[in-house]
């Protein structure tokens, strides 16, 4: 099963919509609650990263009997140093984003903690692709 969601950068009012939709689907499929929680936490963090840092993005969710694969592909400034971005507390969020309670520098580290496989690739001034997989 594949599901596709579009995310608009800067639209914090809709941040989390894809995560909520995927949570509902996984529950309907009777996926173990711990897997649902891990998947939704990781997806939410990645979805908010698009809203906070990119102009727009696409989320593709592929659910098979063996795993949940999620690919987030955004158009935005990209990440110049992925290794640095993976460190807890590091953030390039704007003051406006931080005032709203986001941008604490925990997004990518939380994603990594909640998935079985994670790959982040980025091109400065073009965008970032986050690929995550969780085995069922």
């Amino acid at each position: 099963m594949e599901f596709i969601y579009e995310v608009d950068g800067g639209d914090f009012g809709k941040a989390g919509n894809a995560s909520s939709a995927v949570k509902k689907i996984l529950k309907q499929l009777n996926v173990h609650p711990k897997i649902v929680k891990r998947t939704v936490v990781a997806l939410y963090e990645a979805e908010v990263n698009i809203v906070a840092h990119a102009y727009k993005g696409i989320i593709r969710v592929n659910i098979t009997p063996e795993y949940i694969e999620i690919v987030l592909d955004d158009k935005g400034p990209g990440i110049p140093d992925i290794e640095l971005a993976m460190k807890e507390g590091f953030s390039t969020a704007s003051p406006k984003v931080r005032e709203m309670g986001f941008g604490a520098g925990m997004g990518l580290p939380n994603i990594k903690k909640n998935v079985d496989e994670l790959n982040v690739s980025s091109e400065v001034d073009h965008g970032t692709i986050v690929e995550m997989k969780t085995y069922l």
Side-chain angles (χ1 to χ4, degrees), residues 105-121:
M106 296 304 294
L108 287 173
N110 276 342
I111 293 168
K112 187 175 182 180
K113 289 177 187 173
N114 283 288
V115 298
D116 295 316
E117 294 178 16
L118 174 64
N119 183 52
V120 180
S121 57

Side-chain angles (χ1 to χ4, degrees), residues 54-56 73-79 122-129:
Y55 312 121
K56 63 181 179 179
D73 186 352
D74 76 45
K75 304 299 178 216
I79 303 171
S122 187
E123 187 176 348
V124 173
D125 295 330
H126 291 280
T128 301
I129 298 174

Side-chain angles (χ1 to χ4, degrees), residues 4-26:
I4 298 174
Y5 304 93
E6 293 183 10
V7 180
D8 293 324
D11 189 353
F12 284 91
K14 293 183 180 176
N17 283 1
S19 306
S20 294
V22 169
K23 180 179 182 180
K24 189 174 182 179
I25 292 165
L26 295 176

Side-chain angles (χ1 to χ4, degrees), residues 69-104:
E69 182 179 53
I70 303 173
V71 178
L72 300 97
D73 186 352
D74 76 45
K75 304 299 178 216
I79 303 171
D81 187 337
I82 293 172
E83 187 176 329
L84 182 59
M86 294 298 295
K87 292 185 177 179
E88 291 185 9
F90 177 80
S91 177
T92 59
S94 69
K96 180 181 175 187
V97 169
R98 289 175 188 253
E99 285 173 12
M100 290 187 283
F102 299 99

Side-chain angles (χ1 to χ4, degrees), residues 2-61:
E2 185 175 65
F3 303 91
I4 298 174
Y5 304 93
E6 293 183 10
V7 180
D8 293 324
D11 189 353
F12 284 91
K14 293 183 180 176
N17 283 1
S19 306
S20 294
V22 169
K23 180 179 182 180
K24 189 174 182 179
I25 292 165
L26 295 176
K27 283 184 170 185
Q28 289 172 342
L29 294 172
N30 291 319
V31 172
H32 192 282
K34 286 184 179 179
I35 300 292
V36 172
K37 183 177 179 182
R38 290 177 57 211
T39 301
V40 171
V41 167
L43 177 55
Y44 179 78
E45 293 283 5
E47 185 179 1
V48 168
N49 277 348
I50 291 175
V51 173
H53 299 286
Y55 312 121
K56 63 181 179 179
I58 296 284
I59 301 172
R60 290 182 172 81
V61 180

